Amino acid sequence: MPPPPARLLALLATTLVAAGAPGPAAAAAERVRAVEVDGNERTSRHVIERALGVSPGDAVDPDDLSALEQQVYNLRIFRSVRVRAEREPQGGVVLRVAVEERRTFLLLPLMGASRGAFRVGGALMDTNLLGLRKELVLIGSWSTRGSQAIALYRDPGVAQSRVVVAAEAALEDVVRERTEGGEGAYSFRDKRADVSVRAGWLLTPRLALRAGWFGVSEVSEPEPGFAAPPRARPAHGPSADLEYQGQDYRDWLNVGPALRARWREGVPALGSDRFLRAALVQGTWAFRVFDGHAASLSTALHLGQGDAVLDAVRLGGRPGTRGFDDAGLWAERAATFTADYQIPIWRPAFGTLTALGFVDAGVLGYEGRRVSWASPGVGVRLYLRNVALPAIGLDVAQSTTGRGPAGSFFLGFGG
């Protein structure tokens, strides 16, 4: 016999009250009376508190402590992070954050060789400049193809605000060589100065948008045996970039999605001596698989418009185009894809060594021609626990359109 209507109404009312009542997690939340930080010998506590995202007076749940630890760990300047909530006799909790810092100021030698081209140099980098998590990278190198000097600067929050700044400057005096089927197809000497400065806003803790101005000045000279390059004229105009860092930092792998988009355009109407357009969109998704293994999928879209010689997108020797000579693959537009799989093979106290298997694939268009490829390969990566350097490694790949295996050295700056 069905229950009488009065009993049904009572049962419904009881259910609604129970559904609207605070659950165990909500009941456990307590007010934060203070935040205490320990172990930050160099890093400003304001950097840690900002990453933590919790201030005195906020409510915090014990179940959220692991997420708070991850937010601080995502700064990538600490080897360990521990967040504890200690109850106070008068009510509320004190959040105690204990960190162990990584070494962020580094001076690194750079060496490499690829089919007769040798490179030596050095890099000075600090990913926690002044203890404020600003990034500065200086690179100088010399090779049989010329010399380069590069400076990069990133400020994730000017004066602890949400204003973000990025700047790059490069001086180059190098021989640009385009290869086809592993053979030299064209070559010229390029003397170039390239500067870009952008400022913007941190839209969310993981999403930044910047806009600014760039300028390029160069001199192009012929190489023996090749036709003279076009006369280089200065170009300048607006530039912008968008970065989404949705990855959570782990012991040796960033797990989750990341997106980067960059654009610059030399506009004659704004005073540029010539038209130039360059754009790049990159996306990566990394994830754990099986027993501590890792995989990632990456794709990139490149666009270079203007002069086919001076403004070509120069690929090769990097993810998506491993198996080709460094900067030897020229394109006006290109799409690349990478799938890789890593297996930890050695885990000493100072880091993790992994074996890497990958496949690069892509298609490009250049001067009316279309080139497509697939490049399977293998490599190794060394991730250092105490050093704020994402990875050091070596890859060897064989492209379906190349003349033989090509090696490329991998050095990760800032992740």
Side-chain angles (χ1 to χ4, degrees), residues 251-318:
D251 182 36
W252 59 274
L253 179 72
N254 300 326
V255 177
L259 176 68
R260 179 177 63 164
R262 294 183 178 180
W263 163 82
R264 57 165 52 180
E265 185 154 339
V267 184
L270 297 178
S272 179
D273 286 357
R274 64 187 181 90
F275 168 76
L276 179 155
R277 177 179 294 155
L280 168 66
V281 179
Q282 289 179 308
T284 299
W285 193 293
F287 46 92
R288 298 278 191 180
V289 290
F290 299 118
D291 184 20
H293 298 186
S296 67
L297 302 174
S298 302
T299 187
L301 302 175
H302 303 262
L303 176 66
Q305 293 181 328
D307 186 274
V309 173
L310 302 177
D311 304 319
V313 178
R314 294 179 173 87
L315 306 173
R318 67 191 69 178

Short mmCIF file of all heavy atoms in Angstrom, two decimals, residues 251-318:
data_model
loop_
_atom_site.label_atom_id
_atom_site.label_comp_id
_atom_site.label_asym_id
_atom_site.label_seq_id
_atom_site.Cartn_x
_atom_site.Cartn_y
_atom_site.Cartn_z
N ASP A 251 57.09 15.95 -10.38
CA ASP A 251 58.51 15.70 -10.12
C ASP A 251 59.34 15.84 -11.38
O ASP A 251 60.43 16.39 -11.37
CB ASP A 251 58.67 14.30 -9.51
CG ASP A 251 60.10 14.00 -9.16
OD1 ASP A 251 60.81 14.92 -8.73
OD2 ASP A 251 60.52 12.84 -9.31
N TRP A 252 58.85 15.33 -12.51
CA TRP A 252 59.63 15.42 -13.75
C TRP A 252 58.75 15.66 -14.98
O TRP A 252 59.24 15.61 -16.10
CB TRP A 252 60.47 14.15 -13.97
CG TRP A 252 59.67 12.88 -14.05
CD1 TRP A 252 59.26 12.11 -13.00
CD2 TRP A 252 59.18 12.24 -15.23
NE1 TRP A 252 58.55 11.03 -13.46
CE2 TRP A 252 58.49 11.07 -14.82
CE3 TRP A 252 59.26 12.53 -16.58
CZ2 TRP A 252 57.89 10.21 -15.72
CZ3 TRP A 252 58.65 11.67 -17.49
CH2 TRP A 252 57.98 10.52 -17.05
N LEU A 253 57.48 15.96 -14.77
CA LEU A 253 56.60 16.19 -15.91
C LEU A 253 55.52 17.19 -15.54
O LEU A 253 54.99 17.15 -14.43
CB LEU A 253 55.95 14.88 -16.37
CG LEU A 253 54.99 15.00 -17.55
CD1 LEU A 253 55.77 15.25 -18.84
CD2 LEU A 253 54.15 13.74 -17.69
N ASN A 254 55.21 18.10 -16.45
CA ASN A 254 54.08 19.00 -16.27
C ASN A 254 52.84 18.33 -16.84
O ASN A 254 52.79 18.01 -18.02
CB ASN A 254 54.34 20.33 -16.98
CG ASN A 254 55.57 21.02 -16.44
OD1 ASN A 254 55.88 20.93 -15.26
ND2 ASN A 254 56.29 21.70 -17.31
N VAL A 255 51.83 18.12 -16.02
CA VAL A 255 50.64 17.36 -16.40
C VAL A 255 49.50 18.33 -16.70
O VAL A 255 49.18 19.19 -15.88
CB VAL A 255 50.22 16.38 -15.28
CG1 VAL A 255 48.94 15.66 -15.66
CG2 VAL A 255 51.35 15.39 -15.02
N GLY A 256 48.90 18.19 -17.88
CA GLY A 256 47.76 19.02 -18.24
C GLY A 256 48.00 19.78 -19.53
O GLY A 256 48.95 19.51 -20.27
N PRO A 257 47.15 20.77 -19.82
CA PRO A 257 47.25 21.51 -21.09
C PRO A 257 48.05 22.79 -20.96
O PRO A 257 48.11 23.42 -19.90
CB PRO A 257 45.79 21.82 -21.41
CG PRO A 257 45.17 22.01 -20.04
CD PRO A 257 45.89 21.06 -19.12
N ALA A 258 48.65 23.20 -22.06
CA ALA A 258 49.33 24.50 -22.16
C ALA A 258 49.11 25.03 -23.58
O ALA A 258 49.10 24.25 -24.55
CB ALA A 258 50.82 24.38 -21.87
N LEU A 259 48.93 26.33 -23.69
CA LEU A 259 48.67 26.96 -24.99
C LEU A 259 49.45 28.25 -25.07
O LEU A 259 49.52 29.02 -24.11
CB LEU A 259 47.17 27.24 -25.16
CG LEU A 259 46.76 27.99 -26.44
CD1 LEU A 259 46.99 27.13 -27.66
CD2 LEU A 259 45.30 28.43 -26.35
N ARG A 260 50.04 28.49 -26.23
CA ARG A 260 50.76 29.73 -26.47
C ARG A 260 50.44 30.22 -27.88
O ARG A 260 50.47 29.45 -28.84
CB ARG A 260 52.26 29.52 -26.33
CG ARG A 260 53.07 30.78 -26.59
CD ARG A 260 54.55 30.55 -26.37
NE ARG A 260 55.09 29.56 -27.30
CZ ARG A 260 56.39 29.40 -27.52
NH1 ARG A 260 57.27 30.14 -26.88
NH2 ARG A 260 56.81 28.49 -28.37
N ALA A 261 50.12 31.51 -28.01
CA ALA A 261 49.86 32.11 -29.32
C ALA A 261 50.63 33.43 -29.40
O ALA A 261 50.61 34.22 -28.45
CB ALA A 261 48.37 32.36 -29.51
N ARG A 262 51.33 33.65 -30.53
CA ARG A 262 52.11 34.87 -30.73
C ARG A 262 51.84 35.43 -32.12
O ARG A 262 51.66 34.68 -33.07
CB ARG A 262 53.60 34.61 -30.55
CG ARG A 262 53.98 34.22 -29.13
CD ARG A 262 55.46 34.04 -28.96
NE ARG A 262 55.81 33.70 -27.59
CZ ARG A 262 57.05 33.47 -27.17
NH1 ARG A 262 58.05 33.55 -28.02
NH2 ARG A 262 57.27 33.19 -25.91
N TRP A 263 51.86 36.77 -32.21
CA TRP A 263 51.59 37.43 -33.49
C TRP A 263 52.37 38.74 -33.54
O TRP A 263 52.52 39.44 -32.52
CB TRP A 263 50.09 37.69 -33.63
CG TRP A 263 49.73 38.71 -34.69
CD1 TRP A 263 49.62 38.50 -36.03
CD2 TRP A 263 49.45 40.09 -34.46
NE1 TRP A 263 49.27 39.68 -36.66
CE2 TRP A 263 49.18 40.66 -35.72
CE3 TRP A 263 49.42 40.89 -33.31
CZ2 TRP A 263 48.86 42.01 -35.86
CZ3 TRP A 263 49.11 42.24 -33.46
CH2 TRP A 263 48.82 42.79 -34.73
N ARG A 264 52.91 39.06 -34.71
CA ARG A 264 53.52 40.36 -34.96
C ARG A 264 53.29 40.73 -36.41
O ARG A 264 53.18 39.86 -37.28
CB ARG A 264 55.02 40.34 -34.65
CG ARG A 264 55.80 39.28 -35.42
CD ARG A 264 57.31 39.49 -35.40
NE ARG A 264 57.88 39.68 -34.09
CZ ARG A 264 59.18 39.87 -33.87
NH1 ARG A 264 60.03 39.86 -34.92
NH2 ARG A 264 59.65 40.03 -32.67
N GLU A 265 53.20 42.04 -36.66
CA GLU A 265 52.92 42.48 -38.03
C GLU A 265 53.57 43.83 -38.28
O GLU A 265 53.35 44.80 -37.54
CB GLU A 265 51.41 42.57 -38.26
CG GLU A 265 51.05 42.90 -39.69
CD GLU A 265 49.67 42.39 -40.09
OE1 GLU A 265 49.16 41.47 -39.42
OE2 GLU A 265 49.12 42.92 -41.06
N GLY A 266 54.39 43.87 -39.33
CA GLY A 266 54.96 45.12 -39.79
C GLY A 266 53.98 45.80 -40.72
O GLY A 266 53.64 45.26 -41.79
N VAL A 267 53.50 46.98 -40.37
CA VAL A 267 52.42 47.65 -41.08
C VAL A 267 52.96 48.92 -41.74
O VAL A 267 53.32 49.88 -41.05
CB VAL A 267 51.27 48.02 -40.13
CG1 VAL A 267 50.10 48.63 -40.90
CG2 VAL A 267 50.82 46.80 -39.33
N PRO A 268 53.05 48.96 -43.07
CA PRO A 268 53.54 50.17 -43.74
C PRO A 268 52.76 51.42 -43.37
O PRO A 268 53.34 52.52 -43.29
CB PRO A 268 53.38 49.82 -45.23
CG PRO A 268 53.52 48.32 -45.27
CD PRO A 268 52.84 47.84 -44.02
N ALA A 269 51.45 51.29 -43.13
CA ALA A 269 50.65 52.46 -42.77
C ALA A 269 51.06 53.05 -41.43
O ALA A 269 50.76 54.21 -41.13
CB ALA A 269 49.17 52.07 -42.74
N LEU A 270 51.77 52.24 -40.61
CA LEU A 270 52.24 52.71 -39.31
C LEU A 270 53.71 53.06 -39.35
O LEU A 270 54.35 53.21 -38.30
CB LEU A 270 51.97 51.66 -38.23
CG LEU A 270 50.49 51.33 -37.97
CD1 LEU A 270 50.38 50.24 -36.90
CD2 LEU A 270 49.73 52.58 -37.52
N GLY A 271 54.30 53.15 -40.55
CA GLY A 271 55.68 53.58 -40.68
C GLY A 271 56.68 52.49 -40.98
O GLY A 271 57.86 52.77 -41.18
N SER A 272 56.25 51.23 -41.03
CA SER A 272 57.17 50.15 -41.36
C SER A 272 57.62 50.26 -42.81
O SER A 272 56.82 50.58 -43.70
CB SER A 272 56.50 48.79 -41.12
OG SER A 272 57.36 47.73 -41.46
N ASP A 273 58.90 49.98 -43.06
CA ASP A 273 59.42 50.07 -44.42
C ASP A 273 58.96 48.92 -45.30
O ASP A 273 59.11 48.97 -46.52
CB ASP A 273 60.96 50.10 -44.40
CG ASP A 273 61.48 51.44 -43.92
OD1 ASP A 273 60.67 52.34 -43.68
OD2 ASP A 273 62.71 51.59 -43.79
N ARG A 274 58.43 47.88 -44.70
CA ARG A 274 57.91 46.76 -45.49
C ARG A 274 56.88 45.99 -44.68
O ARG A 274 56.79 46.12 -43.46
CB ARG A 274 59.04 45.82 -45.93
CG ARG A 274 59.76 45.12 -44.79
CD ARG A 274 60.96 44.34 -45.33
NE ARG A 274 61.68 43.63 -44.28
CZ ARG A 274 61.41 42.39 -43.90
NH1 ARG A 274 60.42 41.73 -44.47
NH2 ARG A 274 62.12 41.81 -42.95
N PHE A 275 56.10 45.16 -45.40
CA PHE A 275 55.09 44.34 -44.77
C PHE A 275 55.72 43.06 -44.22
O PHE A 275 56.57 42.45 -44.86
CB PHE A 275 53.99 43.98 -45.78
CG PHE A 275 53.05 42.91 -45.28
CD1 PHE A 275 52.07 43.21 -44.34
CD2 PHE A 275 53.17 41.60 -45.74
CE1 PHE A 275 51.22 42.22 -43.88
CE2 PHE A 275 52.32 40.61 -45.29
CZ PHE A 275 51.33 40.92 -44.36
N LEU A 276 55.33 42.67 -43.04
CA LEU A 276 55.79 41.42 -42.43
C LEU A 276 54.68 40.92 -41.52
O LEU A 276 54.08 41.71 -40.77
CB LEU A 276 57.07 41.65 -41.63
CG LEU A 276 57.71 40.48 -40.88
CD1 LEU A 276 59.21 40.74 -40.70
CD2 LEU A 276 57.09 40.27 -39.50
N ARG A 277 54.41 39.64 -41.56
CA ARG A 277 53.43 39.04 -40.65
C ARG A 277 53.97 37.69 -40.17
O ARG A 277 54.38 36.85 -40.99
CB ARG A 277 52.08 38.85 -41.32
CG ARG A 277 51.03 38.16 -40.43
CD ARG A 277 49.71 38.03 -41.16
NE ARG A 277 49.13 39.36 -41.40
CZ ARG A 277 48.28 39.62 -42.39
NH1 ARG A 277 47.96 38.67 -43.26
NH2 ARG A 277 47.79 40.83 -42.54
N ALA A 278 53.99 37.49 -38.88
CA ALA A 278 54.44 36.22 -38.32
C ALA A 278 53.48 35.83 -37.20
O ALA A 278 53.11 36.65 -36.36
CB ALA A 278 55.86 36.35 -37.77
N ALA A 279 53.08 34.57 -37.20
CA ALA A 279 52.15 34.07 -36.17
C ALA A 279 52.52 32.64 -35.80
O ALA A 279 53.02 31.88 -36.63
CB ALA A 279 50.71 34.14 -36.68
N LEU A 280 52.28 32.31 -34.55
CA LEU A 280 52.55 30.97 -34.04
C LEU A 280 51.49 30.61 -33.01
O LEU A 280 51.19 31.40 -32.12
CB LEU A 280 53.93 30.91 -33.38
CG LEU A 280 54.25 29.66 -32.55
CD1 LEU A 280 54.32 28.42 -33.43
CD2 LEU A 280 55.55 29.84 -31.77
N VAL A 281 50.92 29.41 -33.14
CA VAL A 281 50.00 28.86 -32.15
C VAL A 281 50.49 27.48 -31.79
O VAL A 281 50.68 26.62 -32.66
CB VAL A 281 48.55 28.79 -32.69
CG1 VAL A 281 47.63 28.19 -31.63
CG2 VAL A 281 48.06 30.17 -33.11
N GLN A 282 50.72 27.25 -30.49
CA GLN A 282 51.22 25.96 -30.02
C GLN A 282 50.33 25.46 -28.89
O GLN A 282 49.92 26.23 -28.01
CB GLN A 282 52.65 26.07 -29.48
CG GLN A 282 53.70 26.30 -30.53
CD GLN A 282 55.09 26.42 -29.91
OE1 GLN A 282 55.30 27.21 -28.99
NE2 GLN A 282 56.02 25.66 -30.41
N GLY A 283 50.04 24.17 -28.91
CA GLY A 283 49.27 23.55 -27.84
C GLY A 283 49.87 22.22 -27.45
O GLY A 283 50.36 21.47 -28.30
N THR A 284 49.86 21.92 -26.14
CA THR A 284 50.40 20.67 -25.62
C THR A 284 49.48 20.13 -24.54
O THR A 284 48.93 20.89 -23.74
CB THR A 284 51.81 20.88 -25.01
OG1 THR A 284 52.69 21.35 -26.02
CG2 THR A 284 52.36 19.59 -24.45
N TRP A 285 49.34 18.80 -24.54
CA TRP A 285 48.62 18.14 -23.46
C TRP A 285 49.48 16.96 -22.99
O TRP A 285 49.78 16.07 -23.77
CB TRP A 285 47.25 17.64 -23.91
CG TRP A 285 46.38 17.24 -22.75
CD1 TRP A 285 46.58 16.20 -21.89
CD2 TRP A 285 45.19 17.89 -22.30
NE1 TRP A 285 45.59 16.16 -20.93
CE2 TRP A 285 44.73 17.19 -21.17
CE3 TRP A 285 44.48 19.01 -22.76
CZ2 TRP A 285 43.57 17.56 -20.49
CZ3 TRP A 285 43.34 19.37 -22.08
CH2 TRP A 285 42.88 18.65 -20.95
N ALA A 286 49.87 16.99 -21.74
CA ALA A 286 50.71 15.93 -21.17
C ALA A 286 49.95 15.20 -20.08
O ALA A 286 49.18 15.82 -19.34
CB ALA A 286 52.00 16.53 -20.61
N PHE A 287 50.18 13.90 -19.96
CA PHE A 287 49.42 13.10 -18.99
C PHE A 287 50.23 11.87 -18.58
O PHE A 287 51.12 11.41 -19.30
CB PHE A 287 48.06 12.70 -19.55
CG PHE A 287 48.12 12.15 -20.95
CD1 PHE A 287 48.25 10.80 -21.21
CD2 PHE A 287 48.05 13.02 -22.05
CE1 PHE A 287 48.30 10.31 -22.50
CE2 PHE A 287 48.10 12.55 -23.34
CZ PHE A 287 48.23 11.18 -23.57
N ARG A 288 49.90 11.36 -17.41
CA ARG A 288 50.50 10.13 -16.90
C ARG A 288 49.80 8.92 -17.51
O ARG A 288 48.59 8.94 -17.76
CB ARG A 288 50.35 10.05 -15.38
CG ARG A 288 51.04 11.18 -14.62
CD ARG A 288 52.51 10.90 -14.45
NE ARG A 288 53.11 11.84 -13.51
CZ ARG A 288 54.38 11.83 -13.17
NH1 ARG A 288 55.19 10.93 -13.69
NH2 ARG A 288 54.87 12.71 -12.31
N VAL A 289 50.55 7.86 -17.74
CA VAL A 289 49.98 6.61 -18.22
C VAL A 289 50.68 5.45 -17.53
O VAL A 289 51.85 5.54 -17.14
CB VAL A 289 50.12 6.46 -19.76
CG1 VAL A 289 49.22 7.44 -20.48
CG2 VAL A 289 51.56 6.64 -20.19
N PHE A 290 49.96 4.37 -17.35
CA PHE A 290 50.50 3.15 -16.77
C PHE A 290 51.23 3.41 -15.45
O PHE A 290 50.80 4.26 -14.66
CB PHE A 290 51.38 2.41 -17.77
CG PHE A 290 50.65 2.00 -19.02
CD1 PHE A 290 51.01 2.50 -20.25
CD2 PHE A 290 49.55 1.15 -18.95
CE1 PHE A 290 50.32 2.15 -21.40
CE2 PHE A 290 48.86 0.78 -20.10
CZ PHE A 290 49.24 1.27 -21.31
N ASP A 291 52.33 2.74 -15.23
CA ASP A 291 53.02 2.81 -13.95
C ASP A 291 54.12 3.87 -13.98
O ASP A 291 55.30 3.56 -14.15
CB ASP A 291 53.60 1.44 -13.61
CG ASP A 291 54.25 1.42 -12.23
OD1 ASP A 291 53.92 2.31 -11.42
OD2 ASP A 291 55.08 0.54 -11.96
N GLY A 292 53.72 5.13 -13.81
CA GLY A 292 54.71 6.20 -13.76
C GLY A 292 55.25 6.61 -15.11
O GLY A 292 56.18 7.41 -15.18
N HIS A 293 54.71 6.08 -16.22
CA HIS A 293 55.12 6.53 -17.54
C HIS A 293 54.37 7.82 -17.89
O HIS A 293 53.44 8.23 -17.19
CB HIS A 293 54.82 5.46 -18.59
CG HIS A 293 55.55 4.18 -18.36
ND1 HIS A 293 55.51 3.14 -19.26
CD2 HIS A 293 56.36 3.77 -17.35
CE1 HIS A 293 56.24 2.13 -18.80
NE2 HIS A 293 56.76 2.49 -17.64
N ALA A 294 54.78 8.47 -18.96
CA ALA A 294 54.16 9.73 -19.33
C ALA A 294 54.08 9.84 -20.85
O ALA A 294 54.92 9.32 -21.58
CB ALA A 294 54.96 10.91 -18.78
N ALA A 295 53.06 10.53 -21.31
CA ALA A 295 52.88 10.77 -22.75
C ALA A 295 52.43 12.21 -22.94
O ALA A 295 51.88 12.84 -22.03
CB ALA A 295 51.84 9.81 -23.33
N SER A 296 52.68 12.73 -24.12
CA SER A 296 52.21 14.08 -24.45
C SER A 296 51.93 14.18 -25.94
O SER A 296 52.54 13.48 -26.75
CB SER A 296 53.23 15.15 -24.03
OG SER A 296 54.40 15.06 -24.81
N LEU A 297 50.98 15.03 -26.25
CA LEU A 297 50.60 15.33 -27.63
C LEU A 297 50.76 16.84 -27.83
O LEU A 297 50.28 17.63 -27.00
CB LEU A 297 49.16 14.91 -27.91
CG LEU A 297 48.83 13.43 -27.67
CD1 LEU A 297 47.32 13.21 -27.84
CD2 LEU A 297 49.60 12.55 -28.63
N SER A 298 51.41 17.23 -28.91
CA SER A 298 51.65 18.65 -29.17
C SER A 298 51.38 18.96 -30.64
O SER A 298 51.62 18.11 -31.52
CB SER A 298 53.10 19.04 -28.85
OG SER A 298 53.42 18.75 -27.51
N THR A 299 50.90 20.16 -30.88
CA THR A 299 50.71 20.61 -32.25
C THR A 299 51.08 22.08 -32.34
O THR A 299 51.03 22.81 -31.34
CB THR A 299 49.24 20.40 -32.71
OG1 THR A 299 49.13 20.70 -34.10
CG2 THR A 299 48.30 21.29 -31.93
N ALA A 300 51.48 22.52 -33.53
CA ALA A 300 51.88 23.91 -33.73
C ALA A 300 51.51 24.34 -35.14
O ALA A 300 51.64 23.56 -36.10
CB ALA A 300 53.39 24.09 -33.51
N LEU A 301 51.06 25.58 -35.26
CA LEU A 301 50.75 26.20 -36.55
C LEU A 301 51.64 27.42 -36.71
O LEU A 301 51.68 28.28 -35.83
CB LEU A 301 49.27 26.60 -36.61
CG LEU A 301 48.24 25.49 -36.41
CD1 LEU A 301 46.83 26.07 -36.37
CD2 LEU A 301 48.36 24.43 -37.50
N HIS A 302 52.36 27.48 -37.83
CA HIS A 302 53.30 28.56 -38.09
C HIS A 302 52.87 29.33 -39.33
O HIS A 302 52.40 28.74 -40.31
CB HIS A 302 54.71 28.02 -38.36
CG HIS A 302 55.25 27.16 -37.25
ND1 HIS A 302 56.10 27.65 -36.29
CD2 HIS A 302 55.08 25.84 -36.98
CE1 HIS A 302 56.44 26.67 -35.47
NE2 HIS A 302 55.83 25.56 -35.87
N LEU A 303 53.08 30.65 -39.30
CA LEU A 303 52.79 31.49 -40.46
C LEU A 303 53.87 32.55 -40.58
O LEU A 303 54.20 33.23 -39.61
CB LEU A 303 51.42 32.17 -40.30
CG LEU A 303 51.02 33.17 -41.41
CD1 LEU A 303 50.84 32.44 -42.73
CD2 LEU A 303 49.75 33.93 -41.02
N GLY A 304 54.45 32.68 -41.78
CA GLY A 304 55.43 33.72 -42.04
C GLY A 304 55.17 34.34 -43.39
O GLY A 304 55.35 33.68 -44.42
N GLN A 305 54.72 35.59 -43.42
CA GLN A 305 54.40 36.28 -44.67
C GLN A 305 55.23 37.54 -44.78
O GLN A 305 55.55 38.18 -43.78
CB GLN A 305 52.91 36.63 -44.71
CG GLN A 305 52.00 35.41 -44.79
CD GLN A 305 50.53 35.81 -44.85
OE1 GLN A 305 50.12 36.82 -44.29
NE2 GLN A 305 49.73 35.01 -45.54
N GLY A 306 55.56 37.90 -46.00
CA GLY A 306 56.41 39.04 -46.28
C GLY A 306 57.32 38.66 -47.42
O GLY A 306 56.86 38.29 -48.50
N ASP A 307 58.63 38.69 -47.18
CA ASP A 307 59.58 38.21 -48.17
C ASP A 307 59.84 36.73 -47.92
O ASP A 307 60.14 36.32 -46.80
CB ASP A 307 60.88 38.99 -48.08
CG ASP A 307 61.84 38.60 -49.18
OD1 ASP A 307 62.57 37.61 -48.98
OD2 ASP A 307 61.85 39.28 -50.22
N ALA A 308 59.76 35.91 -48.97
CA ALA A 308 59.89 34.46 -48.81
C ALA A 308 61.25 34.06 -48.27
O ALA A 308 61.37 33.02 -47.60
CB ALA A 308 59.63 33.76 -50.14
N VAL A 309 62.29 34.83 -48.53
CA VAL A 309 63.63 34.51 -48.05
C VAL A 309 63.87 35.08 -46.66
O VAL A 309 64.25 34.38 -45.72
CB VAL A 309 64.70 35.02 -49.04
CG1 VAL A 309 66.10 34.84 -48.45
CG2 VAL A 309 64.58 34.29 -50.36
N LEU A 310 63.64 36.36 -46.50
CA LEU A 310 63.95 37.03 -45.24
C LEU A 310 63.01 36.65 -44.11
O LEU A 310 63.42 36.56 -42.95
CB LEU A 310 63.92 38.55 -45.42
CG LEU A 310 64.86 39.13 -46.49
CD1 LEU A 310 64.66 40.63 -46.58
CD2 LEU A 310 66.31 38.80 -46.15
N ASP A 311 61.74 36.41 -44.42
CA ASP A 311 60.73 36.22 -43.39
C ASP A 311 60.22 34.79 -43.31
O ASP A 311 59.18 34.53 -42.68
CB ASP A 311 59.55 37.16 -43.64
CG ASP A 311 60.00 38.61 -43.71
OD1 ASP A 311 60.86 38.99 -42.90
OD2 ASP A 311 59.50 39.35 -44.59
N ALA A 312 60.93 33.85 -43.89
CA ALA A 312 60.51 32.45 -43.82
C ALA A 312 60.54 31.96 -42.37
O ALA A 312 61.36 32.39 -41.56
CB ALA A 312 61.42 31.58 -44.68
N VAL A 313 59.61 31.07 -42.03
CA VAL A 313 59.66 30.36 -40.75
C VAL A 313 60.74 29.30 -40.87
O VAL A 313 60.72 28.48 -41.79
CB VAL A 313 58.30 29.70 -40.44
CG1 VAL A 313 58.37 28.92 -39.15
CG2 VAL A 313 57.19 30.74 -40.39
N ARG A 314 61.71 29.32 -39.97
CA ARG A 314 62.84 28.39 -40.06
C ARG A 314 62.71 27.30 -39.01
O ARG A 314 62.85 27.54 -37.81
CB ARG A 314 64.15 29.17 -39.94
CG ARG A 314 64.35 30.10 -41.13
CD ARG A 314 65.62 30.91 -41.07
NE ARG A 314 65.79 31.63 -42.31
CZ ARG A 314 65.28 32.84 -42.57
NH1 ARG A 314 64.56 33.45 -41.64
NH2 ARG A 314 65.46 33.43 -43.73
N LEU A 315 62.43 26.11 -39.50
CA LEU A 315 62.18 24.95 -38.64
C LEU A 315 63.35 23.98 -38.74
O LEU A 315 64.27 24.17 -39.52
CB LEU A 315 60.88 24.28 -39.04
CG LEU A 315 59.64 25.19 -39.07
CD1 LEU A 315 58.46 24.43 -39.65
CD2 LEU A 315 59.32 25.70 -37.68
N GLY A 316 63.25 22.90 -37.97
CA GLY A 316 64.29 21.88 -37.97
C GLY A 316 65.02 21.82 -36.65
O GLY A 316 65.32 22.84 -36.04
N GLY A 317 65.27 20.59 -36.18
CA GLY A 317 66.04 20.41 -34.96
C GLY A 317 65.27 20.71 -33.69
O GLY A 317 65.87 20.93 -32.64
N ARG A 318 63.94 20.71 -33.75
CA ARG A 318 63.12 20.97 -32.58
C ARG A 318 61.87 20.10 -32.65
O ARG A 318 61.54 19.58 -33.73
CB ARG A 318 62.75 22.46 -32.51
CG ARG A 318 61.82 22.91 -33.62
CD ARG A 318 61.69 24.43 -33.67
NE ARG A 318 62.92 25.05 -34.10
CZ ARG A 318 63.05 26.37 -34.27
NH1 ARG A 318 62.04 27.17 -34.01
NH2 ARG A 318 64.20 26.87 -34.69
#
